[in-house]
């Protein structure tokens, strides 16, 4: 048995070198390639090749028939199993047959090989070995019917493998995978055809001696595999991702459950999300994971379970799970796990939709808010898909036209509520927007469903595609009937008010004017009485009467000033400040006799100044008379200083006094109508109000700085007209 010779070293090396080559390949596969079903079967296939090649090598160096039979019985496992292994590899690699998932089919593939192997090992029939000279001992499989069936069976799987690989090569889309598949197919085709011809057809059909060349030609397959591994990355493209890796990596919860509802598996994502440990899983029941929000939800879940188990149906439903972070909403799908035609359990997949639901609720809430806002403001929104001609209206828009939301198609309402003429006009605006792509807006009248009339304001914009073609139009429609009604009413009221105001002004003017004449007569009569009497008390009474008449006259003059300011148009004329101030100071002289205030005026002018003389006179008159009137009785050198500074832009006028002053918190109030700092104030409280109004009319500003018992400065700025 162990007596070897090396008469034909080349013949021995022809089988031994390929065996060594495949052994290295096997080592490479086991060490460097990812472990999965395809690579495992491929490793077994390579081992089969190694053993077959060793078988051939040994048969070329043994001396006797018995020794050949002995070694062949040891290595026969290789050539009996190698082609079913080949086919097994092909179905896993090509994934073309569903067999890969059926243990039954895979068993059927190998069972005959086991029978042949057993019969061969038992020597159920004679093993015929003859010396073939250069090729050593040859096994003649053509002498016994079992042996013949056996080699045809082996050949059949080799050919079936080739067919499967060819089909895959031509059908596959991916370039890289096609090249890879073609290479392996070609590598397989050579030893297969050589083996079938030299070791099956020759001996069985032509009664010629078999030539044991198959194992040597397997080198082509090995080389093709090495190239496919190195160049086309065989097994690393898709096979790396096996089912388990895929399921573990998926961001969805995957749970497998036995028919008794016992949890048998939860993927990594599921474990993390639900906060479960390996130990929890073994003790948990599927019902423990769920948090049914209602009896109905529980019934739905149980119904889905029953249907999946009993009717093999795939069910989908919404549910809630206990998670490590609290409860989560999920969309659950249950699929029966069927093996050997029996439901072995249920596969649950659950996607966390908590966030989705939350955003959905937020969207719903925002939609409700928008709907409410539209209802309150009577604004409806619309969109028109120009390409599909689909029109979408908001609920409020239907209501604006007097219809119930979605009562009928928008274009039907549009046609019913708008006159043909208005439709034509609207079309012109929209057509224009389609050309210039600018936002548009127009008003039109509608006749609502109940026959009432309304005015709407439509605004919209156009969206275009990459070729500048309008594809979409959207905008708003606002019911402005009420606001138009209100605007009309306001306009009318305003006109009426203006009329009343003018009439009132005229009335005030004429009344004030007419009142002055009797006052002058009264003063005249008082003058006569004063001359006619020598009685001291009567003279005193007449003096008081005169003062009151002066006060009343002053008040009437102020009212006239106010009336003039609001009624009379602004007149632009050149102002000679020196002359104006002289006139005002002159007029106030009589009043100043009582107060003895030193009135000084200083005008600095670099250019001419234009403004309304009358209004300017009213303002200055008021300020200077106040400076006199509110001079301090405790100061001996009472003064009122008027400074005018004219530039190209305007005039800066200040009226300064060392009078009684005004408290800081009252500075804003003194410009109010009828405002007086104290009840003992000598005036009516109208002076500064009129001054302020007149300055405003002249587009100027007025400001005050004042301190109690120190004095006040009123500063005016007026633009040069
Ligand atoms: P009146 O006709 O009473 O003077 P004004 O509108 O001119 O009314 O002034 C309002 C109030 O401001 C006055 O009652 C007075 O107390 C105060 N006031 C105005 N000018 C001066 C001033 N130069 N010095 C002190 N107080 C003043």
């Amino acid at each position: 048995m162990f007596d070897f010779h090396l008469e034909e070293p080349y013949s021995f090396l022809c089988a031994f070198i390929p065996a060594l080559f495949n052994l290295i390949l096997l080592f490479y596969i086991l060490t460097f390639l990812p472990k999965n079903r395809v690579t495992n079967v491929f490793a077994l296939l390579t081992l089969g090749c190694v053993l077959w090649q060793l078988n051939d090598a040994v048969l070329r160096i043994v001396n006797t028939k018995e020794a050949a039979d002995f070694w062949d019985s040891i290595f026969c496992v290789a050539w009996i199993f190698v082609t079913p292994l080949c086919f097994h590899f092909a179905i896993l690699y090509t994934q073309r047959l569903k067999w890969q998932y059926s243990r039954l089919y895979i068993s059927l593939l190998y069972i005959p090989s086991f029978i042949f192997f057993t019969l061969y090992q038992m020597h159920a029939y004679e093993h015929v070995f003859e010396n073939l000279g250069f090729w050593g001992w040859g096994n003649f499989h053509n002498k016994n019917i079992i042996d013949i069936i056996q080699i045809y069976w082996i050949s059949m799987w080799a050919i079936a493998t080739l067919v499967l690989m060819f089909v895959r090569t031509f059908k596959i889309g991916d370039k890289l995978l096609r090249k890879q598949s073609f290479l392996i197919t070609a590598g397989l085709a050579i030893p297969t055809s050589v083996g079938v011809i030299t070791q099956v057809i020759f001996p069985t059909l032509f009664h010629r001696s078999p030539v044991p060349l198959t194992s040597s030609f397997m080198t082509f397959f090995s080389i093709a595999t090495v190239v496919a591994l190195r160049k086309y990355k065989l097994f690393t493209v898709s096979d790396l991702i096996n089912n388990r890796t895929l399921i573990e990596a998926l961001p969805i919860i995957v749970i497998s459950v036995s028919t008794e509802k016992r949890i048998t598996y939860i993927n990594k994502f599921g474990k993390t999300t639900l906060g479960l440990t390996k130990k929890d899983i073994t003790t948990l029941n599927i019902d423990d994971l769920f948090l049914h929000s209602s009896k109905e939800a529980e019934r739905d879940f149980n119904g889905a379970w029953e249907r999946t188990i009993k009717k093999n149906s795939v069910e989908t439903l919404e549910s809630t799970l206990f998670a490590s972070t609290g409860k989560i909403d999920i969309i659950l799908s249950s699929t029966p796990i069927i093996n050997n035609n029996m439901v072995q359990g249920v596969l649950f997949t659950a996607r966390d939709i908590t966030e989705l639901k939350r955003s959905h609720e937020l969207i719903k809430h925002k939609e409700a808010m928008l709907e409410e806002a539209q209802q309150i403001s009577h604004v409806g929104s619309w969109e028109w898909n120009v390409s599909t001609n689909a029109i979408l209206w908001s609920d409020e828009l239907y209501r604006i036209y007097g219809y119930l939301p979605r009562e009928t198609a928008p274009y039907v309402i549009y046609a019913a509520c708008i006159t043909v003429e208005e439709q034509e006009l609207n079309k012109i605006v929209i057509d224009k927007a389609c050309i210039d792509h600018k936002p548009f807006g127009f008003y039109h009248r509608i006749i609502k469903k109940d026959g009432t009339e309304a005015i709407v304001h439509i605004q919209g914009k156009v969206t275009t595609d990459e070729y500048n073609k309008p594809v979409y139009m959207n905008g708003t429609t606002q019911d402005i009937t009420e606001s138009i009604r209100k605007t009309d009413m306001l306009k009318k009221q305003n006109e009426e008010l203006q009329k009343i105001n003018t009439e009132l002004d005229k009335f005030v003017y004429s009344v004030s004017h007419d009142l002055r004449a009797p006052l002058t007569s009264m003063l005249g009569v008082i003058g006569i009485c004063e001359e006619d009497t020598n009685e001291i008390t009567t003279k005193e009474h007449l003096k008081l009467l005169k003062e009151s008449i002066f006060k009343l006259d002053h008040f009437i003059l102020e009212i006239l000033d106010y009336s003039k300011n609001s009624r009379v148009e602004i007149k632009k004329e050149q102002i000679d400040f020196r002359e104006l101030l002289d006139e005002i100071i002159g007029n106030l002289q009589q009043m100043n006799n009582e107060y003895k205030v030193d009135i000084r005026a200083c005008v600095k002018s670099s250019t001419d100044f234009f403004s309304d003389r009358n209004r300017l006179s009213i303002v200055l008159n008021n300020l200077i008379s106040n400076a006199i009137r509110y001079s301090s009785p405790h100061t001996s050198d009472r003064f009122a200083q008027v400074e005018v500074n004219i530039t190209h832009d305007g005039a800066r006028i200040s009226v300064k006094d060392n009078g009684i002053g005004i408290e800081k918190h009252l500075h804003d109030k003194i410009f109010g109508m009828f405002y007086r700092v104290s009840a003992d104030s000598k005036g009516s409280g109208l002076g500064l109000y009129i001054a302020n109004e007149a300055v405003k009319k002249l587009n100027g500003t007025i400001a005050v700085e004042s301190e109690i018992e120190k004095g006040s400065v009123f500063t005016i700025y007026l633009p040069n007209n």
Side-chain angles (χ1 to χ4, degrees):
M1 302 298 150
F2 299 99
D3 190 12
F4 303 115
H5 66 83
L6 244 183
E7 275 166 24
E8 297 293 349
Y10 294 119
S11 155
F12 169 72
L13 289 177
C14 260
F16 189 68
I17 290 172
L20 280 183
F21 185 74
N22 268 340
L23 206 62
I24 297 165
L25 184 63
L26 180 65
F27 174 75
Y28 177 80
I29 294 167
L30 294 177
T31 321
F32 297 108
L33 292 190
K35 299 272 173 294
N36 56 43
R37 277 205 293 169
V38 200
T39 44
N40 288 346
V41 173
F42 192 71
L44 271 176
L45 176 62
T46 314
L47 178 67
C49 292
V50 173
L51 293 177
W52 190 345
Q53 283 155 340
L54 283 179
N55 188 12
D56 279 3
V58 171
L59 257 60
R60 285 167 202 182
I61 55 169
V62 288
N63 289 319
T64 61
K65 195 187 271 186
E66 290 69 32
D69 195 10
F70 170 76
W71 288 109
D72 192 50
S73 306
I74 290 171
F75 289 120
C76 70
V77 66
W79 51 261
I80 292 175
F81 278 92
V82 87
T83 58
L85 268 172
C86 241
F87 190 73
H88 191 178
F89 161 71
I91 53 175
L92 290 176
Y93 173 71
T94 59
Q95 300 191 343
R96 290 207 65 81
L97 298 180
K98 293 275 171 282
W99 286 26
Q100 52 177 318
Y101 303 114
S102 165
R103 280 191 203 144
L104 181 71
Y105 287 136
I106 296 297
S107 311
L108 283 176
L109 178 67
Y110 287 106
I111 284 172
S113 299
F114 274 108
I115 297 170
F116 288 130
F117 177 67
T118 316
L119 290 174
Y120 198 77
Q121 286 293 345
M122 284 167 60
H123 280 77
Y125 51 91
E126 193 194 351
H127 301 172
V128 183
F129 285 96
E130 274 177 31
N131 201 320
L132 300 170
F134 179 80
W135 295 114
W137 294 94
N139 192 345
F140 283 64
H141 293 286
N142 57 350
K143 305 289 183 207
N144 186 285
I145 187 68
I146 302 173
D147 218 359
I148 292 170
I149 293 170
Q150 174 179 260
I151 56 170
Y152 272 97
W153 166 261
I154 291 168
S155 309
M156 185 190 85
W157 287 121
I159 292 162
T161 306
L162 274 183
V163 172
L164 202 59
M165 293 294 287
F166 262 118
V167 172
R168 143 108 170 172
T169 306
F170 290 112
K171 286 206 172 162
I172 203 157
D174 186 276
K175 241 182 173 178
L176 182 97
L177 290 181
R178 193 180 318 129
K179 279 186 187 166
Q180 192 190 77
S181 178
F182 177 75
L183 202 68
I184 301 169
T185 315
L188 259 178
I190 298 167
T192 305
S193 37
V194 170
V196 171
I197 294 167
T198 61
Q199 290 188 279
V200 180
I201 296 176
F202 268 26
T204 56
L205 297 183
F206 304 112
H207 304 290
R208 300 266 301 269
S209 311
V211 188
L213 277 175
T214 320
S215 63
S216 305
F217 276 89
M218 273 176 184
T219 316
F220 285 100
F221 177 55
S222 316
I223 292 170
T225 310
V226 171
V227 177
L229 281 173
R230 304 289 312 157
K231 200 167 174 192
Y232 302 117
K233 305 269 182 270
L234 175 65
F235 304 133
T236 55
V237 181
S238 57
D239 305 303
L240 245 181
I241 311 158
N242 61 26
N243 293 349
R244 178 58 75 99
T245 327
L246 200 74
I247 291 169
E248 286 291 325
L250 281 178
I252 54 171
I253 303 167
V254 180
I255 309 170
S256 78
V257 180
S258 71
T259 44
E260 306 84 49
K261 288 195 167 181
R262 199 169 39 77
I263 294 172
T264 53
Y265 166 79
I266 298 187
N267 71 341
K268 201 170 156 210
F269 184 79
K271 274 186 270 191
T272 337
T273 315
L274 302 176
L276 296 175
T277 61
K278 228 177 183 174
K279 209 173 138 220
D280 292 335
I281 296 164
T282 49
T283 55
L284 277 175
N285 187 293
I286 186 71
D287 288 327
D288 300 333
L289 299 183
F290 286 91
L291 172 78
H292 299 300
S293 51
S294 61
K295 280 262 166 267
E296 206 176 286
E298 191 174 353
R299 212 175 323 119
D300 284 351
F301 175 76
N302 289 334
W305 167 267
E306 291 292 321
R307 283 192 296 280
T308 310
I309 293 277
K310 294 195 176 134
K311 296 188 180 154
N312 295 358
S313 70
V314 177
E315 299 285 324
T316 307
L317 73 155
E318 267 188 41
S319 190
T320 316
L321 277 177
F322 285 116
S324 50
T325 50
K327 71 175 187 106
I328 55 163
D329 295 313
I330 50 154
I331 183 107
L332 183 75
S333 125
S334 60
T335 317
I337 303 169
I338 301 170
N339 201 311
N340 274 345
N341 297 320
M342 279 203 9
V343 177
Q344 309 286 353
V346 174
L347 184 75
F348 284 107
T349 51
R351 207 150 47 86
D352 184 352
I353 53 160
T354 319
E355 210 39 55
L356 201 77
K357 254 187 135 174
R358 206 171 291 153
S359 355
H360 185 71
E361 264 153 31
L362 195 74
I363 290 169
K364 260 169 67 181
H365 177 68
K366 285 194 172 167
E367 263 180 12
M369 265 172 72
L370 183 71
E371 170 66 27
E372 208 177 325
Q374 290 204 354
Q375 265 191 49
I376 294 168
S377 59
H378 293 300
V379 178
S381 54
W382 51 267
E383 52 185 58
W384 173 34
N385 189 326
V386 183
S387 351
T388 61
N389 207 16
I391 300 170
L392 197 73
W393 276 16
S394 72
D395 289 356
E396 184 56 19
L397 193 48
Y398 284 93
R399 283 192 280 265
I400 287 175
Y401 282 82
Y403 285 77
L404 290 173
R406 292 174 294 281
E407 188 180 327
T408 177
Y411 63 88
V412 177
I413 300 175
Y414 187 79
C417 296
I418 300 159
T419 60
V420 181
E421 296 82 56
E422 293 242 31
Q423 283 182 29
E424 301 270 296
L425 289 172
N426 296 350
K427 198 174 168 295
I428 293 169
V429 180
I430 289 169
D431 285 351
K432 187 176 163 287
C434 283
I435 296 166
D436 64 16
H437 308 157
K438 283 189 185 146
F440 59 89
F442 57 90
Y443 297 86
H444 73 72
R445 203 167 49 94
I446 58 170
I447 312 291
K448 289 188 181 188
K449 196 184 177 189
D450 61 6
T452 54
E453 214 176 85
I455 308 290
V456 293
H457 181 214
I458 296 181
Q459 282 180 295
K461 68 175 177 54
V462 181
T463 308
T464 54
D465 62 9
E466 68 262 44
Y467 308 108
N468 244 1
K469 205 176 129 220
V471 282
Y472 178 78
M473 210 178 265
N474 68 322
T476 55
T477 300
Q478 186 177 14
D479 184 351
I480 51 164
T481 324
E482 189 60 16
S483 70
I484 284 185
R485 201 181 58 77
K486 279 186 184 155
T487 316
D488 282 351
M489 209 170 76
L490 276 175
K491 226 163 115 186
K492 230 183 252 168
Q493 281 176 347
N494 210 24
E495 275 166 11
E496 268 168 32
L497 269 175
Q498 258 175 1
K499 209 172 131 214
I500 293 170
N501 230 7
T502 325
E503 278 166 9
L504 196 70
D505 267 354
K506 271 188 204 156
F507 173 75
V508 167
Y509 184 77
S510 64
V511 168
S512 318
H513 204 263
D514 293 350
L515 275 176
R516 286 201 73 200
L519 287 183
T520 321
S521 319
M522 280 163 83
L523 281 174
V525 175
I526 290 170
I528 296 167
C529 292
E530 270 179 333
E531 276 176 19
D532 286 353
T533 182
N534 285 327
E535 272 191 46
I536 308 278
T537 42
T538 315
K539 277 198 175 214
E540 293 239 313
H541 289 156
L542 285 173
K543 195 183 162 210
L544 284 175
L545 196 62
K546 225 163 80 180
E547 271 174 16
S548 291
I549 291 170
F550 276 132
K551 208 171 170 184
L552 186 61
D553 190 44
H554 181 72
F555 180 58
I556 293 170
L557 279 174
E558 275 184 329
I559 291 178
L560 280 170
D561 281 348
Y562 167 75
S563 172
K564 265 191 244 162
N565 182 47
S566 58
R567 225 165 19 87
V568 181
E569 286 292 310
I570 295 172
K571 235 204 269 168
K572 282 175 200 165
E573 56 202 305
Q574 193 173 347
I575 309 290
D576 181 344
F577 270 102
R578 276 183 201 92
E579 182 254 341
L580 178 65
L581 284 170
D582 284 348
E583 184 189 310
I584 295 168
I585 295 166
N587 289 342
L588 292 171
Q589 210 51 61
Q590 200 190 349
M591 170 190 170
N592 195 23
N593 285 341
E594 191 187 327
Y595 297 92
K596 307 259 181 313
V597 174
D598 178 16
I599 306 170
R600 308 166 200 156
C602 168
V603 180
K604 283 184 203 156
S605 163
S606 58
T607 180
D608 292 340
F609 182 75
F610 292 86
S611 194
D612 187 323
R613 193 177 188 279
N614 274 336
R615 285 188 170 84
L616 208 51
S617 169
I618 293 172
V619 174
L620 288 171
N621 196 48
N622 265 304
L623 294 181
I624 300 169
S625 66
N626 277 353
I628 298 169
R629 209 172 318 147
Y630 301 110
S631 57
S632 171
H634 317 295
T635 316
S636 50
D637 57 338
R638 293 187 280 272
F639 71 84
Q641 174 131 7
V642 185
E643 270 180 31
V644 182
N645 210 329
I646 301 166
T647 62
H648 183 74
D649 294 332
R652 192 176 169 281
I653 307 161
S654 66
V655 180
K656 187 178 174 185
D657 63 58
N658 58 350
I660 57 171
I662 310 157
E663 278 182 87
K664 204 169 170 63
H665 70 278
L666 301 174
H667 288 187
D668 285 338
K669 292 186 178 165
I670 53 172
F671 295 102
M673 200 181 213
F674 296 117
Y675 186 82
R676 294 184 304 169
V677 169
S678 83
D680 322 323
S681 274
K682 290 151 194 158
S684 59
L686 261 182
L688 285 179
Y689 172 74
I690 296 166
N692 189 24
E693 289 300 304
V695 169
K696 269 199 235 162
K697 271 254 159 139
L698 298 174
N699 289 328
T701 55
I702 183 164
V704 61
E705 280 172 58
S706 183
E707 231 178 287
I708 284 284
E709 286 306 333
K710 280 202 175 155
S712 316
V713 187
F714 286 84
T715 313
I716 299 165
Y717 176 80
L718 293 174
N720 196 346
N721 287 315

